[in-house]
Amino acid sequence: MMKKTALLKKSLFGAIAAFFTVISASASYNSYGIPDSAEIRKNLIENWFEAPVDMVRTKDNEIYKNAVNQSFQVSFQEQDNYLLVLVIPASQIEVEYQKDQIKESRLEQVYSPGAAGSWILFRNGQTGQPEKLQWYFNADSQVYLEFTAAANKTFADLIVYNNYIVKHTPVGVPFQRLYTSSFQEIQNWTNKSIPWYKVQVIPGQYRELLQTAYTVRKYLPKIQILDKGYYNEDGVLCNRSNDKPYILLNEDLEPYSAEKAGILQVDSAGFIKWIADGLIFPYTGSYTTADSLYNPTVEYNPLGKTGIKNQQYDIAFSLNWTRNLALQAWNVRNRKQVKYEDSGIDVNYNHFTKVSPYIKDTGYKVQLLKSILYIQAVIEPGYAYFGAIKEYSVTKPEEFVFNNQVVFFPYFDDNGHFDCLVFEAGQEMTLDGFISKYRNSFVNLVRIKTSEDFYPLENF
């Protein structure tokens, strides 16, 4: 896979993302929802796409408009051994500035490589021959199509955050045909070879998910970490080491009540249970019992090394805990009683090529998480995901165990940009931060449907 290009590193799109809100142009869009430059590109072949590279290097930027009055900038850039010809649609950004100690804003028009509708031709910097083409069609610039020219054939890749959904699939048209094709034509030509449904973002489907996530966030200041702490079916703080009420001692070693202290005390397992209970309570009027959460969901050979180790230490603890919580939520929501193996709650798709696939009872490499959650947010809007983290043991660094758990809330905002709220043990972190923290680990995902009817235990 090609490394992230210098073009995207330097693009205004990337530089302003942290500071400005991107506002979609108001002109008409094609059926997929992106600005289309097909009719403009018909007039660029001789002077841009096929002109000698030395001639292209002397050209100034040019502005064109399509039939629905959308503006596109045509320009070139040098990158590694390539000469890039860029056809980029106009975007409007809201710029905030200070004037007389008053914050104001104004709209500015920019041309940001990587914005939806961007079309970028890569020509050999020496010979001028076309070698590849990148076509951006979503609000996130790390989701795009790449076409390559090879031996009079054209091949397509679909890339999501550096991972290939499709790689080197044939497209039955000459590469030069892409110079003048519309994006709708591209879809028509590849509707059987590219799974477009995995990347076709439809905003506005994430209200329940965000309401659940924002409610969790609201309670975070009230949550304190307590080793093996969780709340049982009656809302009583218990100790997971014996599943009996927790005896809390103050600095004078005198018992005190967490309820009176106005806090919730949990560990990472208790935190995930608290979220699941908030989704289950509207259906049952009660919370989950802890004994049901230890039910094994994976079988080990009792005579094998892993089986013997599991008898000494519950190496699949968080795997069983998250699966059983998601199973109970599934059962009460669907008014059924199915076993874990019949529920389909595990996320076990192999979305990508050229990478290690889903591993049964282990999950995915953490580096795949952003790509996976992006696709899951598209195909299963409104679902959160409990993650059981398989990491190296603290006591035996050469061995993996399932100790901790996390919850992901992936969604798309109203502009179609991907984001994901991440909570672990009562703390919020970014998805990139989580991936960095657990970069050598695996995570097994189970789905749990969010709801506006989310009533977590308050306990104060």
Side-chain angles (χ1 to χ4, degrees), residues 366-438:
V366 165
Q367 289 87 343
L368 291 175
L369 262 181
K370 184 174 285 190
S371 302
I372 291 167
L373 292 172
Y374 183 99
I375 295 175
Q376 291 301 125
V378 173
I379 65 177
E380 296 181 350
Y383 278 87
Y385 299 90
F386 289 163
I389 305 167
K390 187 174 185 180
E391 55 191 316
Y392 286 108
S393 170
V394 175
T395 57
K396 294 185 177 181
E398 73 281 2
E399 297 179 352
F400 276 104
V401 294
F402 281 104
N403 268 337
N404 296 311
Q405 40 263 299
V406 64
V407 60
F408 303 101
F409 292 91
Y411 70 98
F412 293 92
D413 66 18
D414 291 340
N415 293 316
H417 290 282
F418 174 69
D419 202 353
C420 184
L421 301 175
V422 184
F423 302 99
E424 181 194 15
Q427 300 291 320
E428 183 174 1
M429 65 179 68
T430 65
L431 182 55
D432 287 337
F434 178 86
I435 293 171
S436 177
K437 179 180 178 180
Y438 292 104

Side-chain angles (χ1 to χ4, degrees), residues 225-226 228-229 240 266-273 317-318 321 403-406 424-426:
I225 299 303
L226 178 66
K228 293 183 170 58
R240 194 160 32 81
V266 292
D267 66 357
S268 68
F271 178 67
I272 294 297
K273 182 181 186 297
F317 164 67
S318 67
W321 188 271
N403 268 337
N404 296 311
Q405 40 263 299
V406 64
E424 181 194 15

Side-chain angles (χ1 to χ4, degrees), residues 223-291:
I223 294 175
Q224 290 184 359
I225 299 303
L226 178 66
D227 184 43
K228 293 183 170 58
Y230 75 91
Y231 291 88
N232 69 7
E233 64 274 16
D234 297 317
V236 175
L237 177 63
C238 291
N239 189 328
R240 194 160 32 81
S241 62
N242 56 20
D243 292 318
K244 294 181 179 180
Y246 223 118
I247 305 300
L248 299 173
L249 302 176
N250 61 20
E251 294 179 354
D252 298 324
L253 301 182
E254 297 174 342
Y256 74 94
S257 170
E259 289 85 345
K260 293 181 180 179
I263 56 176
L264 290 160
Q265 294 185 302
V266 292
D267 66 357
S268 68
F271 178 67
I272 294 297
K273 182 181 186 297
W274 174 77
I275 294 173
D277 282 344
L279 292 166
I280 290 171
F281 184 84
Y283 294 91
T284 64
S286 62
Y287 305 116
T288 54
T289 59
D291 57 354

Side-chain angles (χ1 to χ4, degrees), residues 181-358:
S181 61
S182 67
F183 192 74
Q184 188 64 56
E185 288 176 310
I186 295 296
Q187 283 193 293
N188 294 341
W189 295 333
T190 60
N191 60 2
K192 293 183 179 179
S193 58
I194 291 180
W196 289 103
Y197 71 94
K198 292 184 179 183
V199 292
Q200 190 160 10
V201 176
I202 303 176
Q205 304 182 88
Y206 305 92
R207 177 180 174 181
E208 292 183 343
L209 179 139
L210 289 173
Q211 183 165 325
T212 303
Y214 291 158
T215 302
V216 171
R217 176 186 280 170
K218 182 184 72 173
Y219 281 97
L220 295 185
K222 298 289 186 180
I223 294 175
Q224 290 184 359
I225 299 303
L226 178 66
D227 184 43
K228 293 183 170 58
Y230 75 91
Y231 291 88
N232 69 7
E233 64 274 16
D234 297 317
V236 175
L237 177 63
C238 291
N239 189 328
R240 194 160 32 81
S241 62
N242 56 20
D243 292 318
K244 294 181 179 180
Y246 223 118
I247 305 300
L248 299 173
L249 302 176
N250 61 20
E251 294 179 354
D252 298 324
L253 301 182
E254 297 174 342
Y256 74 94
S257 170
E259 289 85 345
K260 293 181 180 179
I263 56 176
L264 290 160
Q265 294 185 302
V266 292
D267 66 357
S268 68
F271 178 67
I272 294 297
K273 182 181 186 297
W274 174 77
I275 294 173
D277 282 344
L279 292 166
I280 290 171
F281 184 84
Y283 294 91
T284 64
S286 62
Y287 305 116
T288 54
T289 59
D291 57 354
S292 64
L293 305 182
Y294 300 111
N295 292 336
T297 62
V298 55
E299 293 184 3
Y300 298 116
N301 181 353
L303 301 179
K305 178 182 177 181
T306 304
I308 294 173
K309 183 170 59 176
N310 190 53
Q311 295 172 35
Q312 300 169 341
Y313 177 82
D314 189 2
I315 62 174
F317 164 67
S318 67
L319 181 65
N320 295 329
W321 188 271
T322 53
R323 281 174 167 175
N324 285 310
L325 281 171
L327 175 64
Q328 293 208 28
W330 190 96
N331 280 335
V332 299
R333 188 178 185 89
N334 292 281
R335 294 180 171 83
K336 294 181 180 181
Q337 287 296 319
V338 302
K339 297 179 179 179
Y340 153 71
E341 55 268 24
D342 299 322
S343 65
I345 57 173
D346 270 315
V347 177
N348 53 13
Y349 303 118
N350 291 327
H351 288 304
F352 308 107
T353 64
K354 308 300 182 181
V355 297
S356 298
Y358 169 82

